[in-house]
Amino acid sequence: MQGNNLENITQNAEKEVNSSDAPTIVKTDIGAIDGQNKCPKCGSTEISLNIKNGKLKCEFCHHEFEPEHVTGLESDISRLEGQVIASGASDIIASTDDVVTIKCSSCGAEVVIDTSESTQGRCHWCRNVLSINNQIPNGAVPDVVLPFKITKDDAKKMIEEFVGKRQFFAHPKFKEEFTTENIMGVYFPYMVVDINSHAKLIGRGEHLIRRYTVKNGDNYDTYYDAEVFAVEREFDLSITGLTIESNSDRLDNNSHDKTNNIINSIMPFDIENCVKYDSNYIKGYTSEKRDANVSELKGLVGAQAKDIARFAANDTLEYYDRGVRWDSEHLAIKGEQWQAAYLPVWLYSYQQVKGDKSIIHYVAVNARTKETMGSIPIHIPKLITVSAVIEFMSFLLMLSVDWDYSFLFLALGFIYFWIMYQRYRNNDARHSYEIETQREIRDLVKSDRFVERRNRLSNSTMIGANNTRITDSSLATKVAKNISQRTEGENNDNE
Ligand SMILES: [Zn+2]
Ligand SMILES: [Zn+2]
């Protein structure tokens, strides 16, 4: 067993050296047809998603199509080697023309489709639907799509319920203007990444032995005795379906003018049910185009993978109830596989204008799982008034209570303000990818060596513990800025 591990590690080292190798591109649009996609039963081009079962359906004869799946990608993540990129996730080529002209095979007319808006168009003469299903290097055609499953009516209910629970402090103008009539079904672009990796973490962990109080003058102080261990964890880790926004505008979760974090927070999606891209899935919905390349997202994905590894290790660290401080963390990525995907979201958006600034609030529903999150504009004067009343009552309470710490009551008004603000705006909502991403540990090697006992510690948790830390969200903002700078530069070059 030990011999095998050593062998693996040597192999990994070799692979890391070879990491400059060009990625393997897996072509995923094999057999895709641009132009008329006809129903095999009746020849109609009117084909759209049947939301009830996720299949495509002919609108004339009701023939249903079995979903197609992408082939050629590795399904056993533990066998992934090097960098594999599905062709729909290939680099965007700046000079690519978004506008594609297709000759209608029925009447010979030339039909112009602007792929930055849609991958379908209707022939003006014979009314047939023409689709683009072959990938073009502009980010408009992904490898896979996850079809809508939640109906518009169900999404409306979820959004109304969410907003209904947040009425008291909602801005009066918002209350007046709120309607779910104009909610939109949107396919947002994401990269879905599978990772085969090997993790090694080295550090110190603390286990609580005793907690006690000692009289110190008039006060009692709390102290802790703890055992310190040298901790090591080494394991193989498969990460399946790590999902990341691939449009720079959405990737920026700290954006000041739109509440992107709301859309981020309704992940995860059941991406294992993705099907091969077909423009007919998009019919009746809108979609956003990808503008990010694999190389631009790689650093962010690597950082998130490291977070996932750290949290995977936490499952083996329950004994260290005071925390673990990793002094060295290493995640070697042996193989990774990237796919471009469209994932379905029902979206309500509301623009709030404040002076010369404006902010777009979203209420978003995951159109697979119904998970709902939102940001509601707050009537700030009302929230301040109520918080001030609470603050005043707390002040009276403080005067009437005989307790050393009665000054703590003075925090109540501020706590109330903060809790209500979070409840309406949810500005810290986000996808907890470090816990919610599918992962599997294999060949775990544990080492826990007693170092010393430390007594009379005044901190309730270990100083410097970092085992529940995650990558700062400002990294995503930085990556998003770099991408939008590139695309702006390219646009200027084209002009
Ligand atoms: Zn038909
Ligand atoms: Zn035609």
Side-chain angles (χ1 to χ4, degrees), residues 123-189:
C123 173
H124 292 294
W125 303 104
C126 69
R127 308 301 297 158
N128 274 301
V129 175
L130 303 175
S131 306
I132 310 272
N133 289 320
N134 277 297
Q135 289 153 3
I136 9 173
N138 70 347
V141 179
D143 300 293
V144 292
V145 54
L146 186 58
F148 270 77
K149 191 178 179 184
I150 305 301
T151 63
K152 188 173 187 172
D153 282 342
D154 282 347
K156 277 184 180 177
K157 268 181 227 148
M158 298 302 290
I159 292 170
E160 280 158 11
E161 201 178 298
F162 186 91
V163 174
K165 284 179 185 161
R166 290 164 181 80
Q167 287 290 299
F168 191 70
F169 290 120
H171 199 282
K173 193 150 185 273
F174 166 80
K175 278 203 267 190
E176 191 188 303
E177 292 173 356
F178 174 73
T179 163
T180 52
E181 279 318 302
N182 53 4
I183 67 166
M184 283 209 306
V186 189
Y187 282 103
F188 283 113

Side-chain angles (χ1 to χ4, degrees), residues 39-44 46 58-63 65:
C39 166
K41 286 272 164 66
C42 73
S44 159
E46 301 295 331
C58 171
E59 289 167 27
F60 272 102
C61 72
H62 303 302
H63 169 71
F65 298 72

Side-chain angles (χ1 to χ4, degrees), residues 275-311:
V275 296
K276 184 177 165 184
Y277 181 79
D278 183 316
S279 292
N280 287 319
Y281 285 108
I282 311 299
K283 189 190 268 177
Y285 302 97
T286 56
S287 58
E288 253 179 27
K289 212 164 67 106
R290 167 173 75 92
D291 65 359
N293 290 328
V294 169
S295 56
E296 290 163 318
L297 296 173
K298 209 174 150 67
L300 185 58
V301 162
Q304 293 198 354
K306 225 170 172 179
D307 293 341
I308 293 169
R310 194 178 306 117
F311 276 76

